Amino acid sequence: MRKLAPVLAALVLAATACGSGEPAAEAKTLTVFAAASLTESFGALGKRFEAQNSGVSVKFSFEGSSALVQKLTQGAKADVFASADKANMDKAAKAELIDGQPSVFATNRLAIAVGKGNPKGIKGLADLAKDGLTVVVCAPQVPCGSAAKKVQQTSGVALKPASEEQDVKSVLAKVQTGDADAGLVYVTDATSAAAKVDKVDFPEAAGAINDYPIAVVKDAPQAQLAGLFRDFVLGAEGKTELAKVGFGSP
């Protein structure tokens, strides 16, 4: 009996623990690759998703969409991919990195970010071509860069950017620090950073609307959770959060 005592005690403790309430949910990490312009909106949605799914932690990687596709191509593991344009999602699909059909969940358009108070008096796209201004844009392979190129072509306004950044947040940062007088960013980024920059809308932006698609990554480690998160973004809560900073409905 003395030899059995420790075993019996352990069994009693285990039974007591099991009977004290619901078993703890298995901890799971959902990895989401998302365009940099989704940082604020998806950050908030990630917290809501965690609150509604016990034991789930959402880990985000926010970068330019083209960089995220490259990472997936090179074997990086993710569960969900949300792109700032269809072109980069199409690249992922062509490389057989996507499971099923992507769904567009939002739209976005460009705006001009300027310093607080708009010290250079910028009123529209044509002003960005004036001498003496330091203007930054996204690189052409990045969705915001592709949109910038398109508005230049359709408007006939040719910009001479001081730099071409790898994501929209880098463009915004240069305006915030004063390293640039103006930058072409998304409406949503300028809205999110309203305390640090002013936003100048311009009509030519309507000719370069970006569709944002989302999809589950092929062979996702958390495929079931990935599907739930995709549906969450496409649902009412996702639309409400995205609309707060100016994303349009598809």
Side-chain angles (χ1 to χ4, degrees):
M1 287 299 292
R2 284 197 299 270
K3 291 182 180 180
L4 288 174
V7 177
L8 291 171
L11 290 172
V12 169
L13 286 171
T16 302
C18 291
S20 62
E22 293 295 325
E26 180 186 352
K28 295 179 180 179
T29 298
L30 179 73
T31 303
V32 179
F33 278 15
S37 51
L38 292 165
T39 300
E40 292 80 13
S41 298
F42 267 34
L45 287 174
K47 291 179 181 178
R48 290 191 191 182
F49 189 77
E50 289 174 344
Q52 295 176 23
N53 295 271
S54 180
V56 174
S57 174
V58 184
K59 178 184 176 183
F60 290 105
S61 179
F62 294 111
E63 291 186 61
S65 299
S66 56
L68 293 173
V69 173
Q70 185 176 19
K71 284 187 174 183
L72 289 172
T73 303
Q74 293 172 345
K77 292 295 181 183
D79 300 298
V80 178
F81 174 45
S83 174
D85 66 352
K86 287 184 175 179
N88 279 289
M89 182 62 79
D90 288 344
K91 288 179 184 177
K94 188 175 181 180
E96 299 183 349
L97 300 170
I98 299 304
D99 187 11
Q101 189 71 21
S103 300
V104 174
F105 64 93
T107 63
N108 213 347
R109 68 187 189 282
L110 294 177
I112 303 168
V114 297
K116 292 300 293 183
N118 194 1
K120 298 294 184 177
I122 295 167
K123 297 179 180 179
L125 184 66
D127 289 342
L128 300 186
K130 293 179 179 179
D131 293 335
L133 282 181
T134 301
V135 178
V136 291
V137 300
C138 292
Q141 71 271 17
V142 183
C144 60
S146 177
K149 183 178 179 180
K150 187 173 182 179
V151 296
Q152 290 180 74
Q153 291 172 339
T154 56
S155 67
V157 176
L159 304 181
K160 297 179 180 178
S163 67
E164 295 180 338
E165 304 297 321
Q166 293 305 307
D167 61 62
V168 70
K169 294 300 185 187
S170 298
V171 174
L172 191 64
K174 290 209 166 185
V175 177
Q176 290 175 346
T177 58
D179 290 333
D181 298 312
L184 282 179
V185 301
Y186 291 118
V187 166
T188 55
D189 294 288
T191 300
S192 296
K196 298 179 179 179
V197 301
D198 281 349
K199 173 172 67 72
V200 178
D201 292 309
F202 59 98
E204 296 90 343
I209 302 294
N210 277 22
D211 288 327
Y212 279 54
I214 188 170
V216 175
V217 176
K218 189 174 183 180
D219 298 324
Q222 299 291 347
Q224 185 175 1
L225 271 179
L228 289 175
F229 185 81
R230 174 201 58 203
D231 295 344
F232 183 68
V233 170
L234 291 166
E237 288 189 73
K239 291 177 181 177
T240 298
E241 190 61 45
L242 290 159
K244 287 181 181 179
V245 292
F247 281 103
S249 297

